[in-house]
Amino acid sequence: MSQSGRTDDLPGNSLGFNQEDWSSAYCNVERECTNLTLKIIKGEVPKELNGTFYKNGPGKLERNGQWIHHPFDGDGMITSLNFKNGIVSFNNRFVRTKAWEEEEKAGKFLYRGVFGTKKSGLGISNAFDLRLKNIANTNVIKLGNKLLALWEAAGPHALDPNSLETYGLSNLDGLLASNEAFSAHPRFDPGHFTEPRMVTFGVKTGPKSTIRLMEFKTQGDNAGSLISERKDNFNGFAFLHDFAITPNWAIFLQNAINFNPLPFILGQKGAAQCLKSKPKEKAKFWLIPRDSGDFCKQSPRIFDAPSGFVFHHLNAYEEDKSIIVDSIFYKDFPTIKPNEDFRKVNFNNLPEGILKRCRINLLTAEVYEDKLSNQCCEFAMVNPKLQGLSAQYSWMATAEEETGNGPLQKIKKFDLINRKSHFWSAAPRGFVSEPVMVPKKSSIIEDDGWVLVLIWNGELKQTQLVILNSNNLSHQATLEIPINIPHGLHGSWVNSEEL
Ligand code: CO
């Protein structure tokens, strides 16, 4: 695989990549591995990089000849890559959810998926079956002594951080009610109030929406215990996948979106396929005061937000009397229609993700919008030590081209002040997933560290771990992964002393 190069000789797509190279990543994970040492194909693994890189994503895509309708409906499969003195060992396990166990036994889909997968058998059997299949496939984080596999519409599954064995659905020591939503996007406050914390939320939605904001201890004897929580009610339906934090605020963007449950109830569509943008209505920022901040106990504040649809935020920070929040905006909610095959999706027909900056003036309530880049991107992060604070650098996955939509093929380091970029490209035949930036412990330089990313090599039909140097994205190492992993979702890094 080259780090650059044109794709003119590859057939099959006006965007310059081969659709089969991309879609061939979508296959069932058939094997679970224990402590396999990874083979280094190229380069060297830094000896000072010690800890574990956890990833989550769909691992079961087909049963008895039936394919899921959308990759987001695939059962969660956890990967752990343990780094120790230049050697990386590999584990992977499916999360033993109730539905996974039942469907493994039955050899077919018994539940509907939120993104349109139907259960096996006659279509009519889907009508009025409103059971939620918690597939635990979106993110994986460590809280206290447990690993949590997260899926936002229901509770987390607890796992052993070393063996990845599933302990079961967790209510976090009685904190969560049965089937209570618990976001897949916690934010790790690096120490805005002396100690690091995990801040997260759950949302209950309908004509009115309630956000439960929770802050957890992440260090010391009581790591994993709740520090504070609050509940706030807002008017309107809310689809909140992610949020952002600053020392004083938790920031949510309520997309201008509608939910018509009828096709879901009738079994024609998955719940998420019933979401539709409301182009004439304004999106809103909902700002909830954090409990240890200057505005604690005050009511939330509401501001207009730019139109479009947002899954993910990059970061937020406070400056004078303003909140700055960087987010990835789509023109509309991207969906796979009921008669479409996700593996054949035409990227030209889907909206691209564009990084924009919003400056919310808390005194005047004015909101200024600024496009940071025209390039299609996803999965963006700053150095975790600067979560909620002003950061100069960001790392993200982007399409190969500078404009227009396309599969994610490049890693980009973007300077948010000078608007300059560095790239590492897996194109023409490789595809990237979410990059995770790991700062060098011994350094105080913001961009000093590494970027870890799992890629799909469409030429070799192989998943690989790529390690880049985070300052200039120069290549550090490529390692062979012994199983093929479908394009995944989110992951996290845990330093060895926190394991
Ligand atoms: Co996400």
Side-chain angles (χ1 to χ4, degrees), residues 138 185 241 312 379 490:
T138 314
H185 273 283
H241 175 68
H312 295 128
F379 300 133
H490 301 291

Side-chain angles (χ1 to χ4, degrees), residues 56-292:
N56 198 349
K60 193 83 181 176
L61 310 177
E62 175 265 317
R63 286 189 191 274
N64 199 24
Q66 186 191 348
W67 279 76
I68 54 172
H69 186 71
H70 193 296
F72 293 174
D73 278 345
D75 296 273
M77 198 275 300
I78 308 292
T79 298
S80 76
L81 296 132
N82 186 256
F83 290 64
K84 202 171 178 187
N85 299 324
I87 294 175
V88 183
S89 60
F90 175 84
N91 287 273
N92 75 298
R93 287 282 183 285
F94 276 93
V95 185
R96 265 57 175 177
T97 64
K98 178 175 170 281
W100 186 88
E101 300 266 23
E102 289 172 10
E103 291 182 347
E104 279 290 292
K105 212 183 253 179
K108 59 182 182 180
F109 291 122
L110 302 173
Y111 290 84
R112 302 171 66 188
V114 167
F115 286 85
T117 303
K118 296 196 169 166
K119 57 185 187 182
S120 154
L122 289 173
I124 189 96
S125 67
N126 288 275
F128 307 108
D129 182 352
L130 309 184
R131 293 174 302 163
L132 215 49
K133 178 184 176 184
N134 182 345
I135 48 179
N137 73 353
T138 314
N139 201 351
V140 55
I141 54 111
K142 190 161 177 284
L143 180 65
N145 56 6
K146 292 191 182 78
L147 201 62
L148 299 180
L150 303 173
W151 185 70
E152 69 195 26
H157 282 79
L159 285 78
D160 183 293
N162 297 311
S163 69
L164 306 182
E165 175 200 345
T166 305
Y167 297 140
L169 191 62
S170 170
N171 62 13
L172 300 179
D173 300 325
L175 183 70
L176 301 176
S178 165
N179 271 332
E180 183 172 339
F182 190 71
S183 162
H185 273 283
R187 292 278 172 177
F188 288 87
D189 164 346
H192 301 155
F193 308 105
T194 60
E195 263 197 340
R197 295 178 179 190
M198 184 179 98
V199 187
T200 194
F201 68 98
V203 59
K204 190 167 179 256
T205 195
K208 276 184 184 293
S209 297
T210 304
I211 296 176
R212 183 180 186 189
L213 186 70
M214 294 162 268
E215 307 213 5
F216 293 88
K217 253 178 99 71
T218 59
Q219 290 186 346
D221 290 345
N222 297 323
S225 62
L226 190 75
I227 297 169
S228 66
E229 69 163 311
R230 60 180 282 167
K231 278 185 185 173
D232 292 281
N233 299 314
F234 298 88
N235 285 326
F237 175 81
F239 177 86
L240 302 172
H241 175 68
D242 191 10
F243 78 133
I245 56 165
T246 68
N248 286 310
W249 303 97
I251 299 145
F252 296 83
L253 198 157
Q254 180 210 22
N255 294 294
I257 203 163
N258 216 349
F259 179 65
N260 170 13
L262 202 59
F264 168 60
I265 293 166
L266 296 176
Q268 296 156 345
K269 286 183 174 182
Q273 289 174 306
C274 300
L275 297 170
K276 208 169 166 9
S277 285
K278 295 188 287 185
K280 285 184 187 152
E281 285 190 31
K282 271 270 177 218
K284 300 280 180 198
F285 281 115
W286 292 343
L287 269 57
I288 302 178
R290 286 183 60 192
D291 272 359
S292 303

